[in-house]
Amino acid sequence: MTQQETTARAPGGAVATDQAFQVETHGIDPIPDEERHGGARDLFWLWFGSNLTFTYVINGALAVAFGLSFWQATGVVVIGGLAFFAISAAGLSGVRTGTATLVISRAPFGVRGNWPAGMLNWVVSIGYTILNTVVGTLALEAFFADLGWAFGHTGRALALLITLALTFLVALWGHATVQLAERWIAYVLAVGFAALLVFLLPGADTAGAAVHPGASGWSLAFVVMLAGPFSYVPMPADYTRYLPRTTSLRSLTWYGALGGFVSSVALGVAGVAAATQTDMTDAVAGTEKLLPGWFQPLFLALVLGGSVTNSIVTLYSSSLNLQVLGVPWSRSKAIIISAAVTAAGSLCALFLTDFTSSLLSFLSLLIIVFAPWGGVFLADMVMRRCHYDAPALHAGPDSAYWYRSGYHPAGMTALLAGMVFAALTCDSELWTGPLVAPLGGADLTLLGSVVSALVYWTLARRTVAPHTGPS
């Protein structure tokens, strides 16, 4: 085992505990049974709070921009929310092994084969943390302006500092503080976003005639709505690894899925409703126009709060990710790297006008990798029924998951097949696959997950099976 994978202990030799407002000492090392605690209900607030983010309002508005009517776009939003059932169910792997998702993914890809996707996942998590930080910073800057505090670049820098501090402190403290913060912030945000729905829904154009957006409009809408839940595939075990082994799959799946479903669907529908009434090219400004004057400052506070809740989750997982990549530091030290990169990226995004759009285009392109990666991981999880050789996940060349020189041929082949399919059918600003035009403009990138899952099952069905020994 590496240094960060040994059992963490507090000063004096006592076993460390997972307590709010104390720095979590565990990283990707397996959580001992005596330190397991909590219940499946905790997952509702985690996924509910972290998805109360303005991003879903933007996604709902985009579905209308792609040519869908109110009810068509709402249907896509609901289907996208249902994806959280798969994400939440994947958390059972954390209950069984007591470790992070990107450690568990060594099983389908091999210890070394897992590294490239782990690196890309860290890039993606930091990228989205930057985007959320920028949105929160701009909302806080606008809030200052509404109060008559016009500071120019100084005000923007101050808003960035506050947004980063709110995110970093919670993520630094660790798992218990993240859980607590998501719950209490969710209480406040839920009331505010419920009011937002009350203001937006009555004016929505729900009686518009049925439209025919074509293959391009439908596929792009599904890609946008499913990309949000799919981006969590490398994370669910990070937040279930402290749960007792007796936690059932059914309760774990339902509580987590309902949390993500309710918040993402509610805000997605809000975006759809707003887009039928006004121009949402600038989603924050467009939504603000539809609100009464007294509520507009509160709306900006909601945007800030939603950005922070999502960034907390992604920043925390990024610190575990760095340990998976071999950074020989504790989780609380590794997170400093992620925070520093987030701060630098946010500065570029806020003061170099073309950086944000370029970053967003780059992140959208990476679904070519992560849709197939998720397909292989989820297929492997189902084939193993979430029964892994937990110690072997942390071992080296002697590991059962070392396969051939650290690579699992079936996993790597399936990943490559899914990536090829996704690249051929991707329609993004940076790359348009050669099959997009023959398919009528349809973007089938997400089906790369299905292709990779089927290829993996075909290649590994005789060798991959549930681990029968102790986990």
Side-chain angles (χ1 to χ4, degrees):
M1 294 186 183
T2 59
Q3 180 180 354
Q4 68 266 26
E5 292 178 332
T6 57
T7 302
R9 292 185 176 272
V15 176
T17 57
D18 183 39
Q19 297 183 9
F21 307 114
Q22 292 186 14
V23 176
E24 178 191 7
T25 53
H26 281 299
I28 61 173
D29 52 293
I31 307 300
D33 287 347
E34 61 270 20
E35 294 188 44
R36 304 285 190 100
H37 63 89
R41 291 184 181 182
D42 298 332
L43 298 176
F44 174 87
W45 294 108
L46 174 79
W47 292 112
F48 180 72
S50 62
N51 286 285
L52 283 172
T53 171
F54 194 72
T55 301
Y56 288 105
V57 177
I58 298 173
N59 291 347
L62 283 173
V64 175
F66 294 143
L68 277 65
S69 68
F70 176 88
W71 292 112
Q72 289 171 335
T74 297
V76 173
V77 167
V78 171
I79 293 173
L82 291 174
F84 278 103
F85 279 87
I87 304 304
S88 187
L92 183 62
S93 59
V95 174
R96 294 272 173 82
T97 63
T99 191
T101 303
L102 282 169
V103 174
I104 300 166
S105 62
R106 291 169 176 170
F109 297 104
V111 176
R112 288 177 171 171
N114 188 56
W115 198 94
M119 185 64 204
L120 282 174
N121 180 71
W122 182 79
V123 172
V124 170
S125 63
I126 292 301
Y128 280 115
T129 305
I130 290 171
L131 289 175
N132 276 307
T133 299
V134 169
V135 171
T137 298
L138 293 176
L140 184 55
E141 182 186 27
F143 182 79
F144 289 159
D146 285 351
L147 295 177
W149 301 344
F151 301 126
H153 285 326
T154 303
R156 177 169 291 188
L158 176 62
L160 173 60
L161 181 62
I162 293 172
T163 305
L164 285 171
L166 291 172
T167 304
F168 175 70
L169 286 176
V170 174
L172 174 67
W173 272 319
H175 176 266
T177 311
V178 169
Q179 295 267 26
L180 183 67
E182 293 291 343
R183 176 189 290 264
W184 285 100
I185 296 175
Y187 291 155
V188 178
L189 293 181
V191 174
F193 279 118
L196 180 69
L197 273 171
V198 170
F199 292 129
L200 295 180
L201 282 178
D205 179 13
T206 61
V211 295
H212 302 284
S216 176
W218 281 110
S219 63
L220 288 172
F222 274 112
V223 166
V224 166
M225 293 311 305
L226 289 169
F230 226 85
S231 67
Y232 290 114
V233 173
M235 300 183 192
D238 301 1
Y239 303 100
T240 60
R241 68 195 206 281
Y242 278 94
L243 292 178
R245 292 181 186 272
T246 54
T247 305
S248 71
L249 172 62
R250 181 176 180 178
S251 62
L252 178 147
T253 300
W254 274 96
Y255 279 115
L258 286 176
F261 178 84
V262 171
S263 52
S264 66
V265 169
L267 297 187
V269 171
V272 171
T276 64
Q277 303 172 65
T278 188
D279 179 15
M280 290 286 283
T281 303
D282 182 338
V284 174
T287 304
E288 201 171 6
K289 293 176 184 177
L290 302 174
L291 303 174
W294 64 268
F295 188 75
Q296 291 176 5
L298 296 177
F299 165 67
L300 294 173
L302 289 175
V303 175
L304 170 63
S307 299
V308 168
T309 59
N310 194 266
S311 293
I312 287 171
V313 170
T314 54
L315 189 62
Y316 174 79
S317 285
S318 75
S319 64
L320 297 175
N321 197 334
L322 286 173
Q323 289 191 315
V324 175
L325 294 175
V327 174
W329 292 357
S330 66
R331 183 207 60 82
S332 58
K333 290 182 179 178
I335 202 171
I336 296 174
I337 298 176
S338 296
V341 176
T342 299
S346 299
L347 283 169
C348 292
L350 290 165
F351 295 101
L352 299 177
T353 56
D354 62 341
F355 181 84
T356 302
S357 59
S358 298
L359 178 61
L360 187 58
S361 298
F362 171 68
L363 292 174
S364 66
L365 188 63
L366 288 183
I367 197 170
I368 291 175
V369 177
F370 282 99
W373 184 92
V376 175
F377 175 76
L378 293 175
D380 181 81
M381 185 185 71
V382 171
M383 292 168 71
R384 297 181 193 275
R385 300 177 187 174
C386 276
H387 288 287
Y388 300 89
D389 182 349
L393 290 170
H394 300 270
D398 295 331
S399 168
Y401 305 119
W402 188 253
Y403 304 111
R404 295 182 184 176
S405 301
Y407 299 90
H408 187 196
M412 303 306 293
T413 302
L415 176 62
L416 181 60
M419 288 173 59
V420 169
F421 177 88
L424 291 174
T425 59
C426 176
D427 184 13
S428 70
E429 291 186 16
L430 297 180
W431 168 259
T432 299
L435 295 184
V436 172
L439 290 169
D443 183 335
L444 303 182
T445 314
L446 287 173
L447 289 182
S449 61
V450 178
V451 171
S452 63
L454 290 175
V455 172
Y456 185 74
W457 178 83
T458 301
L459 297 177
R461 68 185 187 279
R462 295 180 180 176
T463 56
V464 170
H467 177 64
T468 56
S471 297

